[in-house]
Structure formats: C-alpha cells, structure tokens
Amino acid sequence: QLVESGGGSVQPGGSLRLSCTSSGFSLPAYAIGWFRQVPGKEREGVSCISADGSTNYADSVKGRFTISRDNAKRTTYLDMNNLKPDDTAVYYCVARSYTCSIRWNDFGIWGQGTQVTISS
C-alpha cells in the first residue's frame, strides 16, 4: 500500500513536499515513482528513484524537483520548487520491483493520489 500526502495549493514560484509512505512490502527492494495526471490528458511520468538510489526526472521538472527516499521511515519524498501552473495535477506515487520504468502500467502498486494546484 502507498499513501501520498503533502499536496495543496500554492502560488507560482512556491514549493511543496510530497510524501509517499509505504506498507506491506519491502521498500528497499522497490523503485518508487511519481506520475501526474490532469483530467483529459495522458498520465505523465515525473520522477523515479530505483532501489539502488539512482534517479531520473522528466525534462519539464529537471532542476526544480528532487526525489529522495528514507527506507528506515518507509517514505519517499518529492520536493517541488519553483512551481508553475503547468505542474497542477493529481500526483500519484507508484512502486515496482527494483528498477524504474517510464511506463505507468509497469508499476503494480499505486497510491490514491494527492492534488497539487498552482495558481495565483
């Protein structure tokens, strides 16, 4: 199970930290990713951190978002800075064994999502 938290509404240029807390599986052996979706649009991969700690980011968020994990706390974080209106979406935390994937349907465990709204 994955539970996201930390979403909310901020102004452009602001920051948010999303958290994804896991249970029911061994987090150290899993890659954790973040996808986002806007109604009527395709799901977009945002970032992912593999079991060995390697990370990747969508071009649209590089330099602004940082993904990290704390296995002892069973939690993965997505720090989002310099937020833009285009970042508005429901953000989903996802998990799969060991390695990341750019395909959302490669992830078998999903959280319920958390809304992020960027608006002035």
Side-chain angles (χ1 to χ4, degrees), residues 14-59:
S15 299
L16 284 173
R17 166 176 263 201
L18 303 185
S19 298
C20 172
T21 302
S22 66
S23 62
F25 61 93
S26 178
L27 181 61
Y30 278 71
I32 302 294
W34 289 92
F35 283 76
R36 64 187 182 187
Q37 189 166 26
V38 176
K41 292 188 176 181
E42 292 279 325
R43 284 188 182 96
E44 177 189 16
V46 176
S47 183
C48 188
I49 183 166
S50 65
D52 68 2
S54 57
T55 60
N56 58 60
Y57 299 92
D59 287 343

Coordinates of all heavy atoms in Angstrom, one line a residue, residues 14-59:
G14 N 6.2 28.9 -5.8 CA 6.2 28.3 -4.4 C 6.8 26.9 -4.4 O 7.2 26.4 -5.5
S15 N 6.7 26.3 -3.3 CA 7.3 24.9 -3.1 C 6.3 24.0 -2.3 O 5.5 24.5 -1.5 CB 8.6 25.0 -2.3 OG 9.6 25.8 -3.0
L16 N 6.4 22.8 -2.6 CA 5.7 21.8 -1.8 C 6.5 20.5 -1.7 O 7.4 20.3 -2.5 CB 4.4 21.4 -2.6 CG 3.2 22.3 -2.5 CD1 2.1 21.8 -3.5 CD2 2.6 22.4 -1.1
R17 N 6.3 19.8 -0.7 CA 7.0 18.5 -0.5 C 5.9 17.4 -0.4 O 5.0 17.4 0.5 CB 7.8 18.4 0.8 CG 8.2 17.0 1.1 CD 9.1 16.9 2.3 NE 10.5 16.8 1.9 CZ 11.5 16.3 2.6 NH1 11.3 15.9 3.8 NH2 12.7 16.2 2.1
L18 N 5.9 16.5 -1.4 CA 5.0 15.3 -1.4 C 5.7 14.2 -0.7 O 6.9 14.0 -0.9 CB 4.6 14.9 -2.8 CG 3.9 16.0 -3.6 CD1 3.5 15.4 -5.0 CD2 2.8 16.6 -3.0
S19 N 4.9 13.4 0.1 CA 5.5 12.3 0.8 C 4.7 11.0 0.3 O 3.5 11.1 0.1 CB 5.4 12.4 2.3 OG 6.1 13.5 2.8
C20 N 5.3 9.9 0.3 CA 4.7 8.6 -0.1 C 5.2 7.6 0.9 O 6.3 7.2 1.0 CB 5.1 8.3 -1.5 SG 4.6 6.6 -2.0
T21 N 4.2 7.2 1.8 CA 4.6 6.2 2.8 C 4.1 4.8 2.4 O 2.9 4.7 2.0 CB 3.9 6.6 4.1 OG1 4.4 7.9 4.5 CG2 4.3 5.7 5.3
S22 N 5.0 3.9 2.5 CA 4.7 2.5 2.1 C 4.4 1.6 3.2 O 4.9 1.8 4.3 CB 5.8 2.0 1.2 OG 7.0 1.8 2.0
S23 N 3.7 0.5 2.9 CA 3.4 -0.6 3.9 C 3.1 -1.8 3.1 O 2.6 -1.8 1.9 CB 2.3 -0.2 4.8 OG 1.1 -0.1 4.2
G24 N 3.4 -3.0 3.7 CA 3.0 -4.2 3.1 C 4.0 -4.8 2.1 O 3.8 -5.9 1.6
F25 N 5.1 -4.2 1.9 CA 6.2 -4.7 1.1 C 7.5 -4.1 1.5 O 7.6 -3.1 2.3 CB 6.0 -4.4 -0.4 CG 5.9 -3.0 -0.8 CD1 7.0 -2.3 -1.2 CD2 4.7 -2.3 -0.8 CE1 7.0 -1.0 -1.6 CE2 4.7 -0.9 -1.1 CZ 5.8 -0.3 -1.5
S26 N 8.6 -4.7 1.1 CA 9.9 -4.3 1.5 C 10.4 -3.2 0.6 O 11.0 -3.3 -0.5 CB 10.9 -5.5 1.4 OG 12.2 -5.1 1.8
L27 N 10.3 -1.9 1.1 CA 10.6 -0.8 0.4 C 12.1 -0.8 -0.2 O 12.2 -0.4 -1.4 CB 10.4 0.5 1.2 CG 10.7 1.8 0.5 CD1 9.8 2.0 -0.7 CD2 10.6 3.0 1.5
P28 N 13.1 -1.2 0.5 CA 14.4 -1.2 -0.1 C 14.6 -2.0 -1.4 O 15.5 -1.7 -2.1 CB 15.3 -1.9 1.0 CG 14.6 -1.6 2.3 CD 13.1 -1.7 1.9
A29 N 13.7 -2.9 -1.6 CA 13.7 -3.7 -2.9 C 12.9 -3.1 -4.0 O 12.7 -3.8 -5.0 CB 13.3 -5.1 -2.6
Y30 N 12.3 -2.0 -3.8 CA 11.4 -1.4 -4.8 C 11.9 0.0 -5.3 O 12.5 0.8 -4.6 CB 10.0 -1.2 -4.1 CG 9.2 -2.5 -4.1 CD1 9.6 -3.6 -3.3 CD2 8.1 -2.7 -5.0 CE1 8.9 -4.7 -3.3 CE2 7.4 -3.9 -5.0 CZ 7.8 -4.9 -4.2 OH 7.1 -6.1 -4.2
A31 N 11.5 0.2 -6.6 CA 11.6 1.5 -7.1 C 10.3 2.3 -6.9 O 9.3 1.7 -6.9 CB 11.9 1.4 -8.6
I32 N 10.4 3.5 -6.6 CA 9.3 4.4 -6.3 C 9.3 5.5 -7.3 O 10.3 6.2 -7.5 CB 9.3 5.0 -4.9 CG1 9.4 3.9 -3.8 CG2 8.1 5.9 -4.7 CD1 8.1 3.0 -3.8
G33 N 8.1 5.7 -8.0 CA 8.0 6.7 -9.0 C 6.8 7.6 -8.6 O 6.0 7.3 -7.8
W34 N 6.8 8.8 -9.3 CA 5.7 9.7 -9.2 C 5.2 10.0 -10.6 O 6.0 10.3 -11.5 CB 6.2 11.0 -8.6 CG 6.5 11.0 -7.1 CD1 7.7 10.7 -6.5 CD2 5.5 11.1 -6.0 NE1 7.5 10.7 -5.2 CE2 6.2 11.0 -4.8 CE3 4.2 11.4 -6.0 CZ2 5.6 11.1 -3.6 CZ3 3.6 11.6 -4.7 CH2 4.3 11.4 -3.6
F35 N 3.9 9.8 -10.8 CA 3.3 10.2 -12.0 C 2.3 11.3 -11.7 O 1.9 11.5 -10.6 CB 2.6 9.0 -12.6 CG 3.5 8.0 -13.3 CD1 4.3 7.2 -12.6 CD2 3.5 8.0 -14.7 CE1 5.1 6.3 -13.3 CE2 4.4 7.1 -15.4 CZ 5.2 6.3 -14.6
R36 N 1.9 12.0 -12.7 CA 0.8 13.0 -12.5 C -0.2 13.0 -13.7 O 0.2 12.6 -14.8 CB 1.4 14.4 -12.3 CG 2.1 15.0 -13.6 CD 2.8 16.3 -13.2 NE 3.5 16.9 -14.3 CZ 4.3 18.0 -14.3 NH1 4.5 18.6 -13.1 NH2 4.9 18.4 -15.4
Q37 N -1.4 13.4 -13.4 CA -2.4 13.4 -14.4 C -3.3 14.6 -14.3 O -3.8 14.9 -13.1 CB -3.2 12.1 -14.3 CG -4.1 11.9 -15.5 CD -4.7 10.5 -15.7 OE1 -4.7 9.8 -14.7 NE2 -5.0 10.2 -16.9
V38 N -3.6 15.2 -15.4 CA -4.6 16.2 -15.5 C -5.8 15.6 -16.2 O -5.6 14.9 -17.2 CB -4.1 17.4 -16.3 CG1 -5.1 18.5 -16.5 CG2 -2.8 18.0 -15.6
P39 N -7.0 15.9 -15.8 CA -8.2 15.4 -16.5 C -8.1 15.6 -18.0 O -7.9 16.8 -18.4 CB -9.4 16.1 -15.8 CG -8.9 16.4 -14.5 CD -7.4 16.7 -14.6
G40 N -8.4 14.6 -18.7 CA -8.4 14.7 -20.2 C -7.0 14.6 -20.8 O -6.9 14.6 -22.1
K41 N -6.0 14.4 -20.0 CA -4.6 14.3 -20.6 C -4.0 12.9 -20.2 O -4.4 12.3 -19.2 CB -3.7 15.4 -20.1 CG -4.1 16.8 -20.7 CD -3.1 17.8 -20.3 CE -3.4 19.2 -21.0 NZ -2.4 20.2 -20.7
E42 N -3.0 12.5 -20.9 CA -2.2 11.3 -20.5 C -1.5 11.4 -19.2 O -1.1 12.5 -18.8 CB -1.2 11.0 -21.6 CG -1.8 10.6 -23.0 CD -2.2 9.2 -23.0 OE1 -1.5 8.4 -22.4 OE2 -3.2 8.9 -23.6
R43 N -1.4 10.3 -18.5 CA -0.5 10.3 -17.3 C 0.9 10.6 -17.7 O 1.4 10.2 -18.8 CB -0.5 8.9 -16.7 CG -1.8 8.6 -15.9 CD -1.6 7.3 -15.1 NE -2.8 6.9 -14.4 CZ -3.7 6.1 -14.9 NH1 -3.5 5.5 -16.1 NH2 -4.7 5.8 -14.1
E44 N 1.6 11.4 -16.9 CA 2.9 11.8 -17.2 C 3.9 11.4 -16.1 O 3.6 11.6 -14.9 CB 3.0 13.3 -17.3 CG 4.4 13.9 -17.6 CD 4.5 15.4 -17.5 OE1 3.5 16.0 -17.0 OE2 5.5 16.0 -18.0
G45 N 5.0 10.7 -16.5 CA 6.0 10.3 -15.5 C 6.7 11.6 -15.1 O 7.2 12.4 -15.9
V46 N 6.9 11.8 -13.8 CA 7.5 12.9 -13.2 C 9.0 12.6 -12.8 O 9.9 13.3 -13.2 CB 6.7 13.5 -12.1 CG1 7.5 14.7 -11.4 CG2 5.3 13.9 -12.5
S47 N 9.1 11.6 -12.0 CA 10.4 11.2 -11.4 C 10.3 9.8 -10.9 O 9.2 9.3 -10.6 CB 10.7 12.2 -10.3 OG 12.0 11.9 -9.8
C48 N 11.5 9.2 -10.7 CA 11.6 7.9 -10.2 C 12.9 7.7 -9.5 O 13.9 8.3 -9.9 CB 11.4 6.8 -11.3 SG 11.2 5.1 -10.7
I49 N 12.9 6.9 -8.4 CA 14.1 6.5 -7.7 C 14.1 5.0 -7.6 O 13.2 4.4 -7.1 CB 14.2 7.2 -6.3 CG1 15.6 6.9 -5.7 CG2 13.1 6.9 -5.4 CD1 15.9 7.8 -4.5
S50 N 15.2 4.4 -8.1 CA 15.3 3.0 -8.1 C 15.7 2.4 -6.7 O 16.1 3.2 -5.8 CB 16.2 2.5 -9.2 OG 17.5 2.9 -8.9
A51 N 15.7 1.1 -6.6 CA 16.1 0.5 -5.3 C 17.6 0.9 -5.0 O 17.9 1.0 -3.8 CB 15.9 -1.0 -5.4
D52 N 18.4 1.0 -6.0 CA 19.8 1.4 -5.7 C 20.0 2.9 -5.6 O 21.2 3.3 -5.4 CB 20.7 0.8 -6.8 CG 20.6 1.5 -8.1 OD1 19.8 2.4 -8.3 OD2 21.2 1.1 -9.1
G53 N 19.0 3.7 -5.6 CA 19.1 5.1 -5.4 C 19.3 6.0 -6.6 O 19.3 7.2 -6.5
S54 N 19.4 5.4 -7.8 CA 19.5 6.2 -9.0 C 18.2 6.8 -9.3 O 17.1 6.3 -9.0 CB 20.0 5.3 -10.1 OG 19.1 4.3 -10.4
T55 N 18.3 8.0 -9.8 CA 17.1 8.8 -10.0 C 16.9 9.3 -11.5 O 17.9 9.3 -12.2 CB 17.1 10.1 -9.2 OG1 18.3 10.9 -9.5 CG2 17.2 9.7 -7.7
N56 N 15.7 9.6 -11.9 CA 15.5 10.2 -13.2 C 14.3 11.2 -13.1 O 13.5 11.1 -12.1 CB 15.3 9.2 -14.3 CG 14.2 8.2 -14.0 OD1 13.0 8.6 -13.9 ND2 14.5 6.9 -14.0
Y57 N 14.3 12.1 -14.0 CA 13.3 13.2 -14.0 C 12.8 13.5 -15.4 O 13.5 13.4 -16.4 CB 13.9 14.5 -13.4 CG 14.4 14.3 -12.0 CD1 15.7 14.0 -11.7 CD2 13.6 14.6 -10.9 CE1 16.2 13.9 -10.5 CE2 14.0 14.5 -9.6 CZ 15.3 14.1 -9.4 OH 15.8 14.0 -8.1
A58 N 11.5 13.9 -15.5 CA 11.0 14.4 -16.7 C 11.7 15.7 -17.0 O 12.1 16.4 -16.1 CB 9.5 14.6 -16.6
D59 N 11.9 16.0 -18.3 CA 12.6 17.2 -18.7 C 11.9 18.5 -18.1 O 12.5 19.4 -17.8 CB 12.7 17.3 -20.2 CG 13.7 16.4 -20.8 OD1 14.5 15.9 -20.1 OD2 13.6 16.2 -22.0

